[in-house]
Amino acid sequence: SKEEALAEAARQREAEALATLHTEVTAVLDRVRSGEILADPTDGRIERAKILKYRAPETVRLLSAEIDALSKLLADSHHIHELSRGQELFLHFLCRTLADLSLQEGAVASIGGYLKTELALPENARNQLRAVPAGEALCVLGGKEADQLLLEAREGFGINGSFWGQVEPFYKRTGVE
């Protein structure tokens, strides 16, 4: 029937759009993963803009998977608990891009997972400044879950720490009273 044909055509377009999203977002992530290109803020903005064309749950899933991998690397780094400068730049790129996408689902849990990993490190290995873009992203994304994660981070890093000193000005954005 005509309706079935239209429905099939719509499904086909949706599948093609998803494939394009996947190809283009993955290509950007592959280009910026080393962090090299992100050393130039202008290049980072250009790459972020390419991803922001795809405001969809699948984009969040792809970026969140990268944050999860970095969190695992940080937790499992055989007691070194460090990321390279490039990996830090990539982490910050991912957090900012997820904030700019403005889709809470998946993003808040992934960014929060990174913050929990940072807080679980031995105190001398924690990097409050590395965690700031994650905190800012949670402020922008907002909601109860983000708010709870930010309060845990404030408690863990200390209210007078550099993390909270830089994140607090954004904190009111979570929209939770």
Side-chain angles (χ1 to χ4, degrees), residues 75-169:
D76 295 349
S77 54
H78 304 291
H79 312 298
I80 300 169
H81 305 302
E82 274 301 318
L83 295 177
S84 70
R85 180 71 188 127
Q87 289 167 327
E88 273 188 37
L89 289 170
F90 186 45
L91 174 68
H92 296 169
F93 172 87
L94 293 166
C95 289
R96 289 189 184 106
T97 306
L98 283 168
D100 289 347
L101 284 168
S102 303
L103 299 171
Q104 281 181 355
E105 197 171 327
V108 170
S110 185
I111 294 168
Y114 156 69
L115 269 182
K116 286 179 176 183
T117 298
E118 191 76 65
L119 288 165
L121 295 177
E123 201 153 332
N124 65 339
R126 287 183 198 159
N127 187 329
Q128 292 198 33
L129 294 177
R130 175 173 59 209
V132 166
E136 291 172 351
L138 289 174
C139 289
V140 171
L141 289 165
K144 259 195 173 359
E145 185 185 359
D147 190 67
Q148 189 55 48
L149 290 161
L150 286 160
L151 294 176
E152 287 172 26
R154 179 181 73 184
E155 179 78 22
F157 288 131
I159 199 160
N160 297 317
S162 51
F163 172 83
W164 194 247
Q166 291 194 39
V167 171
E168 190 196 21

Side-chain angles (χ1 to χ4, degrees), residues 29-102:
L29 294 174
D30 289 344
R31 269 196 307 280
V32 302
R33 192 173 287 111
S34 74
E36 218 172 287
I37 203 170
L38 300 174
D40 180 334
T42 303
D43 290 340
R45 280 193 295 277
I46 290 167
E47 295 299 326
R48 188 174 307 114
K50 291 174 186 173
I51 292 178
L52 293 176
K53 293 189 304 190
Y54 300 101
R55 287 181 194 272
E58 179 64 10
T59 307
V60 173
R61 194 189 65 71
L62 291 168
L63 273 62
S64 294
E66 297 285 345
I67 289 183
D68 295 347
L70 287 170
S71 296
K72 186 171 172 15
L73 185 71
L74 189 60
D76 295 349
S77 54
H78 304 291
H79 312 298
I80 300 169
H81 305 302
E82 274 301 318
L83 295 177
S84 70
R85 180 71 188 127
Q87 289 167 327
E88 273 188 37
L89 289 170
F90 186 45
L91 174 68
H92 296 169
F93 172 87
L94 293 166
C95 289
R96 289 189 184 106
T97 306
L98 283 168
D100 289 347
L101 284 168
S102 303

